[in-house]
């Protein structure tokens, strides 16, 4: 990252092509997929897929159980795309019966979108079962795998996912600055002429990268891209997604065991919990405030997340990144020291 790279130079474009190939390999073992990198944070990539894949007469069904699912629906509304929403509430997985009913009764639906790990709560949505239904009804399937891609094994082709969306700074452990999409070539080709935005035109970006071998249409975040290439190398060194998944699972188990021992309670039952991020209920003590707890932890070198659910008081602790169970044990010690209300 300390070296400047030219956004149109061959050496740089080779790095981009290498990244694109590796992302496809991480997403599936089968052929027929390609990848596109897109400037901006993860949401820009989601917006690019929604805005470029739905035809004018298309209709999107969004299954939501949190803020990130809601965001997909909001993107569609802003773009004046016809959208139906099945909301199962923040504490429940998507309702498969409701999904079947929607697909059966609303024949206008062309695309279905869902979040894999709903980062709002930490819930891991049952995408295999959702994918089975979406494919049975022959709809295009869009997966926001922002906080799971690279950290939880999936095979896009086996599942029947058409678009997988993620970003540089989550489970791949790069730095922020761009997102990416792994998609079926056939579906990318269908995006031609559909985009509702110039800069977020998924087909435009993809065809430029294909034709000019790694060239982005507009200035790309070169340093971030170089760091991402490094991060992919480190994922490989670690042993790939399976090894990373195991480390995250150990981190998350160490976290929950430690927090339960200190008297905290989790929002979700364990069987719905992802190994990525965990929501904890506020302690039932008048003296507790999140601000003070946060400050106490920060002064000990740990930064946690506020809650994001609308019903109930929670805070969240993420356990992805270059950390292992020893770091989590240090965190638990810091939490214990930060329990000023005890
Ligand atoms: C992080 C995240 C996003 C994208 O958020 P940005 O702030 O735009 O990077 C989208 N969906 C999910 C599930 C996420 O965890």
């Amino acid at each position: 990252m300390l070296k400047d790279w030219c956004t149109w130079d061959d050496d740089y474009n080779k790095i981009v092509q290498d990244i694109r190939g590796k992302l496809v390999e991480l997403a599936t073992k089968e052929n027929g997929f390609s990848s596109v990198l897109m400037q901006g944070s993860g949401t820009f990539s989601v917006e690019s897929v929604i805005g470029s894949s739905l035809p004018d007469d298309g209709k999107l069904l969004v299954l939501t159980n949190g803020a990130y699912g809601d965001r997909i629906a909001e993107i569609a509304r802003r773009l004046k795309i016809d959208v139906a929403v099945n909301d199962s509430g923040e504490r429940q997985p998507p309702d498969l019966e409701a999904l079947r009913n929607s697909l059966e009764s609303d024949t206008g639906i062309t695309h279905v979108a869902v979040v894999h790990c709903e980062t709002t709560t930490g819930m891991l949505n049952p995408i295999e079962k959702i994918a089975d239904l979406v494919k049975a009804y022959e709809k295009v399937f869009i997966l926001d795998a922002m906080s799971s891609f690279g950290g939880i094994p999936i095979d896009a082709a086996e599942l029947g996912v058409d678009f997988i969306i993620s970003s540089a700074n989550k489970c791949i452990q790069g730095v922020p600055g761009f997102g990416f999409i792994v998609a079926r070539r056939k579906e990318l080709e269908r995006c031609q002429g559909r985009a509702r935005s110039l800069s977020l035109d998924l087909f435009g970006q993809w065809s430029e990268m294909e034709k000019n071998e790694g060239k982005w249409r507009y200035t790309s975040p070169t340093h971030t891209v170089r760091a991402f290439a490094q991060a992919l190398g480190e994922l490989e060194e670690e042993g790939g997604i399976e090894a990373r998944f195991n480390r995250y699972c150990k981190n998350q188990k160490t976290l929950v065991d430690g927090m339960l021992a200190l008297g905290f309670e989790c929002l979700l039952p364990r069987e719905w919990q992802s190994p990525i991020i965990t929501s904890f209920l506020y302690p039932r003590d008048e003296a507790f405030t999140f601000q003070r707890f946060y400050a106490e932890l920060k002064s000990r070198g740990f930064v946690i997340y506020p809650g994001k659910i609308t019903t109930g008081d929670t805070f969240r602790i993420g356990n992805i990144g270059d950390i292992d169970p020893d770091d989590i044990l240090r965190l638990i010690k810091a939490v214990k020291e930060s329990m000023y209300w005890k």
Side-chain angles (χ1 to χ4, degrees):
M1 289 180 81
L2 292 174
K3 179 176 161 185
D4 278 331
W5 296 85
C6 280
T7 198
W8 43 261
D9 177 74
D10 280 351
D11 291 342
Y12 173 71
N13 288 347
K14 274 194 200 106
I15 297 174
V16 175
Q17 287 299 75
D18 190 44
I19 288 173
R20 291 182 62 218
K22 283 186 175 158
L23 287 175
V24 173
E25 281 171 27
L26 290 176
T28 180
K29 289 187 285 296
E30 291 177 34
N31 296 326
F33 282 75
S34 185
S35 68
V36 194
L37 314 187
M38 186 61 78
Q39 292 94 334
S41 82
T43 304
F44 293 59
S45 287
V46 177
E47 187 150 353
S48 154
V49 170
I50 302 299
S52 307
S53 66
L54 276 111
D56 284 343
D57 59 355
K59 181 169 184 177
L60 177 67
L61 172 64
V62 181
L63 311 182
T64 183
N65 52 356
Y68 293 100
D70 292 350
R71 191 178 294 176
I72 300 176
E74 173 65 11
I75 287 170
R77 282 186 212 106
R78 289 281 182 109
L79 296 175
K80 309 225 173 344
I81 290 168
D82 198 6
V83 58
V85 176
N86 283 7
D87 189 340
S88 51
E90 288 160 333
R91 297 171 193 228
Q92 290 293 324
D95 181 337
L96 297 171
E97 238 2 82
L99 169 61
R100 184 192 296 279
N101 289 339
S102 298
L103 293 171
E104 189 67 43
S105 62
D106 190 345
T107 52
I109 292 168
T110 53
H111 293 58
V112 178
V114 72
V115 174
H116 188 200
C117 170
E118 184 40 272
T119 320
T120 311
T121 52
M123 193 181 302
L124 195 63
N125 283 327
I127 51 169
E128 295 79 6
K129 289 179 187 145
I130 295 168
D132 283 351
L133 274 168
V134 172
K135 285 297 115 182
Y137 286 84
E138 295 177 352
K139 310 300 179 190
V140 176
F141 189 27
I142 300 169
L143 185 65
D144 173 348
M146 205 69 66
S147 59
S148 58
F149 188 84
I152 300 178
I154 49 171
D155 189 301
E158 259 170 39
L159 270 174
V161 183
D162 298 293
F163 295 90
I164 288 196
I165 311 158
S166 187
S167 68
N169 55 290
K170 296 226 167 131
C171 296
I172 304 283
Q173 300 183 178
V175 298
F178 71 94
F180 55 86
I181 295 101
V182 181
R184 269 180 223 279
R185 280 178 180 277
K186 181 171 63 82
E187 291 303 330
L188 283 167
E189 280 156 12
R190 287 204 180 116
C191 294
Q192 184 164 18
R194 286 181 177 173
R196 286 134 179 105
S197 149
L198 172 68
S199 54
L200 296 177
D201 181 345
L202 185 64
F203 179 83
Q205 183 89 327
W206 179 61
S207 50
E208 181 77 27
M209 287 189 169
E210 287 285 284
K211 255 188 263 147
N212 291 318
E213 300 188 342
K215 190 176 165 299
W216 303 49
R217 286 170 308 160
Y218 314 127
T219 302
S220 66
T222 50
H223 300 73
T224 301
V225 169
R226 184 60 191 82
F228 190 75
Q230 178 67 25
L232 284 175
E234 290 176 14
L235 173 59
E236 229 169 85
E237 270 168 39
E238 184 173 349
I241 293 177
E242 198 72 45
R244 183 157 294 181
F245 172 69
N246 290 335
R247 175 166 61 86
Y248 287 172
C249 287
K250 277 189 207 129
N251 284 349
Q252 203 269 340
K253 183 172 186 304
T254 308
L255 173 69
V256 170
D257 289 350
M259 293 294 280
L260 293 182
L262 292 176
F264 288 91
E265 288 171 67
C266 297
L267 174 75
L268 299 178
R270 270 198 164 171
E271 70 262 28
W272 294 344
Q273 174 64 51
S274 69
I276 306 291
I277 188 167
T278 308
S279 293
F280 296 96
L281 303 177
Y282 279 9
R284 279 176 264 235
D285 194 303
E286 291 283 299
F288 175 88
T289 66
F290 177 73
Q291 287 72 12
R292 170 101 192 260
F293 182 48
Y294 178 90
E296 294 278 349
L297 277 173
K298 190 172 172 186
S299 73
R300 292 173 175 84
F302 294 93
V303 170
I304 63 170
Y305 286 86
K308 212 174 163 86
I309 66 167
T310 49
T311 57
D313 286 323
T314 57
F315 61 88
R316 295 173 297 160
I317 302 183
N319 59 257
I320 62 174
D322 187 17
I323 55 173
D324 55 36
D326 280 347
D327 298 304
I328 304 286
L329 291 175
R330 286 195 301 114
L331 165 70
I332 296 295
K333 185 163 168 283
V335 169
K336 192 171 179 192
E337 289 165 12
S338 301
M339 293 170 72
Y340 64 88
W341 61 92
K342 283 285 178 193

